[in-house]
């Protein structure tokens, strides 16, 4: 295995921003596993598969070839030969990915791809089950969280900066609904690994969190 850092936590805790910054500083590859689950969701939506039908989802999963490429330090998800990055971040895909990712066939497929990536490279990988299921022997494990009110406010401000008008209360409700699904599913639920360091970012800046994690990696 390479040198592996696992970062897990709920949606909007800042995992990808922090993981990208730490990767840049420590010369690691950043692996965004949420993007892989999002790509499978895009594939199933395009195939009009009934997402609640586990057998149909499992059968279709075999038709989805997912690989990861890097352009500079940007991760590009390739679905059956196509770069699907532009389709991964819509509200619909965000909502439905938490339904799709609850299914064991989907998780098994992506877990083996993630294990291979971690074996081939020194990486920082973020997701929901990295420290518990994918890389239980990671060198450093972080559980990154923040209150749902803070996470909703960050998302609201991100959208506002892009000129998108949205409802703060609705964003918080959506975040809490996704948290509930991710934490209560039967397969690989989001939970803090017993040997993960808890970092609550509610009152911290991006720089503070980045420095803290780098110091944990260097220790
Ligand atoms: O991190 P994200 O918001 O891009 O993740 C999208 C969804 O995928 C989220 O609902 C949880 C799920 N996911 C997961 O179940 N396991 C992972 N390792 C990564 C993401």
């Amino acid at each position: 295995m390479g040198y592996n850092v696992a970062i897990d936590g709920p949606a909007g805790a800042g995992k990808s921003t922090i993981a990208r910054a730490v990767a840049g500083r420590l010369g690691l590859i950043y692996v965004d596993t949420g993007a892989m689950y999002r790509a499978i969701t895009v594939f199933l939506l395009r195939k009009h598969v009934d997402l609640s039908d586990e057998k149909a989802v499992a059968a279709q999963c075999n038709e989805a070839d997912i690989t990861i490429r890097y352009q500079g330090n940007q991760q590009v998800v390739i679905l059956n030969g196509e770069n699907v990055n532009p389709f991964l971040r819509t509200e619909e895909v965000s909502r439905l990915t938490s339904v799709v990712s609850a299914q064991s066939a989907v998780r098994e497929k992506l877990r083996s791809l993630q294990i291979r990536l971690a074996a081939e490279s020194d990486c920082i990988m973020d997701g929901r089950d990295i420290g518990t299921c994918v890389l239980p022997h990671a060198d450093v494990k972080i559980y990154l969280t923040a209150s749902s009110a803070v996470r909703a406010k960050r998302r609201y401000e991100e959208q506002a900066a892009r000129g998108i008008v949205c409802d703060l209360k609705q964003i918080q409700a959506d975040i809490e609904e996704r948290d509930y699904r991710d934490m209560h599913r039967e397969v690989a639920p989001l939970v803090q690994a017993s040997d993960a360091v808890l970092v609550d970012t509610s009152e911290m800046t991006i720089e503070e969190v980045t420095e803290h994690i780098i110091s944990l990696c260097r220790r």
Side-chain angles (χ1 to χ4, degrees):
M1 294 299 268
Y3 173 81
N4 298 151
V5 181
I7 302 194
D8 292 299
K15 296 187 299 295
S16 58
T17 307
I18 301 298
R20 199 172 283 113
V22 173
R25 293 269 301 277
L26 297 183
L28 306 171
I29 283 177
Y30 167 45
V31 182
D32 172 2
T33 64
M36 299 178 192
Y37 285 95
R38 288 169 182 268
I40 289 259
T41 305
V42 167
F43 173 78
L44 295 168
L45 286 174
R46 286 177 176 178
K47 293 274 178 185
H48 304 290
V49 176
D50 173 0
L51 301 181
S52 62
D53 181 343
E54 289 216 17
K55 277 197 182 139
V57 168
Q60 283 295 334
C61 264
N62 295 327
E63 309 297 316
D65 178 37
I66 305 239
T67 53
I68 299 295
R69 271 189 217 142
Y70 288 90
Q71 284 174 358
N73 61 358
Q74 213 217 339
Q75 171 180 298
V76 179
V77 185
I78 310 290
L79 167 66
N80 294 339
E82 177 191 354
N83 170 0
V84 286
N85 275 22
F87 310 106
L88 303 182
R89 306 271 152 205
T90 65
E91 288 302 322
E92 184 193 28
V93 169
S94 298
R95 190 167 42 80
L96 294 175
T97 302
S98 87
V99 176
V100 167
S101 62
Q103 306 208 8
S104 52
V106 174
R107 303 207 70 84
E108 222 14 76
K109 181 182 179 82
L110 294 183
R111 184 170 170 270
S112 39
L113 174 59
Q114 291 154 8
I115 289 174
R116 208 168 58 238
L117 283 169
E120 286 166 358
S121 51
D122 294 339
C123 71
I124 181 163
M125 186 177 283
D126 80 352
R128 304 294 189 285
D129 61 338
I130 310 305
T132 49
C133 298
V134 180
L135 305 175
H137 304 298
D139 299 273
V140 179
K141 292 185 190 178
I142 311 286
Y143 189 85
L144 202 68
T145 190
S147 70
S148 62
V150 167
R151 289 184 283 135
K153 188 160 168 280
R154 287 177 187 160
R155 177 79 185 144
Y156 176 84
E157 284 168 359
E158 238 171 60
Q159 296 288 69
R162 290 191 195 126
I164 301 169
V165 184
C166 46
D167 176 3
L168 181 59
K169 280 214 174 98
Q170 186 58 50
I171 293 181
Q172 186 168 345
D174 288 348
I175 282 184
E176 287 172 358
E177 190 189 319
R178 281 174 65 195
D179 285 356
Y180 186 87
R181 264 204 301 266
D182 294 343
M183 290 172 179
H184 291 86
R185 66 182 175 218
E186 270 176 36
V187 201
L190 169 63
V191 60
Q192 182 182 342
S194 57
D195 52 351
V197 179
L198 175 69
V199 180
D200 185 329
T201 70
S202 303
E203 308 281 331
M204 293 172 84
T205 63
I206 292 171
E207 291 72 26
E208 285 167 344
V209 181
T210 306
E211 287 304 331
H212 182 47
I213 292 181
I214 287 175
S215 74
L216 291 171
C217 293
R218 290 197 167 133
R219 212 178 270 171

